[in-house]
Amino acid sequence: MTRKNARKFMALLLTGGLLAGTLICFICDTALNGALSWSRIVALSCAYGWALLFPLAAFGRRGLTGGLGALSLLTVPYLYGLSCLLGIREVFTVGAAMAVISLPYLWLICAAFRRLGRTSRALGTMCLLLAGLTAAVNGALTLLGAAPPPDAWDGLNVLLLLLAAAVCFTWRRSRESAST
């Protein structure tokens, strides 16, 4: 089986699996409750998951940008729909804030790996970005009243990411100097 055929098969398997799962949930929900209730959450989540994963299944690494684009475009509407179905406003308000903060970091990490390749510099850049993301998320959650103020464990997390970044950058430099 060629790679192209394998990707087509994976895309069909993903689509068929999610459709079958959604249909089974509709049938069970209707049989148990006489109407569609919780299965609408499953259907919304399966549609969201399909939109994110289909580009990767169909195009492999080339589909990463499509999956990330779908994540960027569909996350806030998905959270709004989920919030409405659950009747919990915070799912949307807190989730959308986290998405707005997190998505640029994902794009920056993707750009770093595309530009730098699979190198220790790219990994170090990712760790630096994740340290910033961790601090931003903790601060935003505190401002939204969804989490207590950051504590020592949150600081330790950022410190470990910064340490990992330093190791990645140092490792690359020492390897380069050894080869010259």
Side-chain angles (χ1 to χ4, degrees), residues 6-156:
R7 287 186 183 138
K8 284 182 184 180
F9 178 74
M10 288 301 295
L12 285 171
L13 190 63
L14 172 71
T15 303
L18 289 173
L19 282 173
T22 302
L23 182 61
I24 289 168
C25 287
F26 282 158
I27 292 168
C28 290
D29 194 14
T30 304
L32 294 172
N33 299 317
L36 296 179
S37 58
W38 56 267
S39 62
R40 295 180 301 158
I41 296 168
V42 173
L44 177 65
S45 298
C46 284
Y48 176 67
W50 178 85
L52 302 182
L53 295 174
F54 186 81
L56 294 170
F59 304 109
R61 281 183 35 199
R62 290 186 342 233
L64 181 63
T65 305
L68 201 49
L71 183 70
S72 299
L73 294 173
L74 299 176
T75 297
V76 172
Y78 167 72
L79 290 169
Y80 178 75
L82 192 59
S83 178
C84 290
L85 289 172
L86 293 171
I88 303 171
R89 186 176 60 105
E90 291 78 11
V91 169
F92 177 69
T93 56
V94 175
M98 294 303 102
V100 167
I101 292 170
S102 301
L103 287 169
Y105 283 92
L106 291 174
W107 281 103
L108 288 171
I109 289 168
C110 182
F113 276 94
R114 284 188 186 237
R115 187 164 185 333
L116 300 172
R118 293 182 183 180
T119 63
S120 61
R121 281 181 52 203
L123 187 59
T125 302
M126 181 188 77
C127 289
L128 281 177
L129 288 169
L130 288 176
L133 174 62
T134 299
V137 164
N138 287 334
L141 287 173
T142 300
L143 289 175
L144 290 169
D151 59 12
W153 292 108
D154 296 316
L156 181 62

